[in-house]
Amino acid sequence: MNTSPIPPSADEPRWLTAEEQRVWRSYIEAATLLEDHLDRQLQRDAGMPHVYYGLLVKLAESPRRRLRMTELARYAKITRSRLSHAIARLEKNGWVRREDCPSDKRGQFAILTDEGYEVLRRTAPGHVDAVRQAVFDRLTPEQQKSLGEIMRIVAEGLQPSEAGADLPWLR
């Protein structure tokens, strides 16, 4: 069944079925609402957006709380320019500092400061509670497992492995 408002043509795309359209729109609505919910919680509790929190978490989990900027961009799935802007804001707050890479004159490390670690330690319980209330408390264990499997399959399918792929962290 063609659910598109566009009339069919000779080169007819494979339109979404009514059920696929319902699933897709439900996903978009949930993803948008969830990101907004987490952003509001983190802005209220720590004065930072969700993406900044994710950067602090990744640094906290890294050896010596430091990571190459290129690796941090790859983890966050953001452009190097956006990462640089985020790190500048985190530096201004005293939560992160940059350090030149001794083996690569163009490379830099982002390093989580003690102050940044403390902000993360104070903020994490509220963030985990927000995630739990928004997602996990609403799903059965079977639904949680299915959601994890589905998101892993989608993520793996979208992560190109070929050289020269157009990836945000390479821009």
Side-chain angles (χ1 to χ4, degrees):
M1 174 180 170
N2 180 354
T3 61
S4 169
I6 301 168
S9 69
D11 298 323
E12 183 82 21
R14 205 171 129 229
W15 298 109
L16 298 179
T17 66
E19 180 60 15
E20 289 168 336
Q21 190 71 260
R22 185 193 66 73
V23 169
W24 175 244
R25 289 181 179 175
S26 293
Y27 164 78
I28 292 295
E29 182 178 15
T32 302
L33 289 169
L34 180 60
E35 190 63 27
D36 178 67
H37 174 73
L38 297 177
D39 264 341
R40 282 184 289 117
Q41 177 268 318
L42 287 164
Q43 286 289 352
R44 181 184 62 244
D45 292 357
M48 77 175 97
H50 189 219
V51 70
Y52 290 16
Y53 179 84
L55 296 172
L56 295 180
V57 167
K58 185 62 178 174
L59 289 171
E61 295 171 344
S62 299
R64 298 174 40 212
R65 298 191 318 209
R66 65 190 296 129
L67 201 58
R68 292 280 303 255
M69 291 282 285
T70 52
E71 289 302 309
L72 195 53
R74 181 185 332 267
Y75 159 77
K77 309 290 188 261
I78 59 177
T79 64
R80 291 179 288 192
S81 173
R82 185 170 177 207
L83 176 66
S84 185
H85 176 74
I87 293 298
R89 291 279 313 273
L90 293 169
E91 279 182 305
K92 185 177 177 186
N93 291 340
W95 300 344
V96 171
R97 66 182 172 83
R98 289 184 226 210
E99 192 175 279
D100 290 335
C101 178
S103 64
D104 178 0
K105 298 294 182 206
R106 295 184 315 157
Q108 283 191 318
F109 286 98
I111 302 164
L112 182 66
T113 64
D114 290 342
E115 186 179 347
Y117 186 80
E118 181 58 27
V119 166
L120 190 58
R121 190 193 64 72
R122 282 193 322 264
T123 306
H127 180 66
V128 169
D129 189 50
V131 170
R132 182 168 296 290
Q133 287 179 5
V135 179
F136 295 101
D137 289 350
R138 298 171 188 275
L139 302 176
T140 66
E142 295 79 21
Q143 290 170 323
Q144 292 174 24
K145 182 178 178 187
S146 293
L147 179 62
E149 290 170 354
I150 291 165
M151 292 295 99
R152 180 187 49 76
I153 289 167
V154 171
E156 286 175 359
L158 292 171
Q159 184 103 350
S161 57
E162 69 273 1
D166 183 25
L167 300 169
W169 54 91
L170 297 177
R171 286 184 234 138

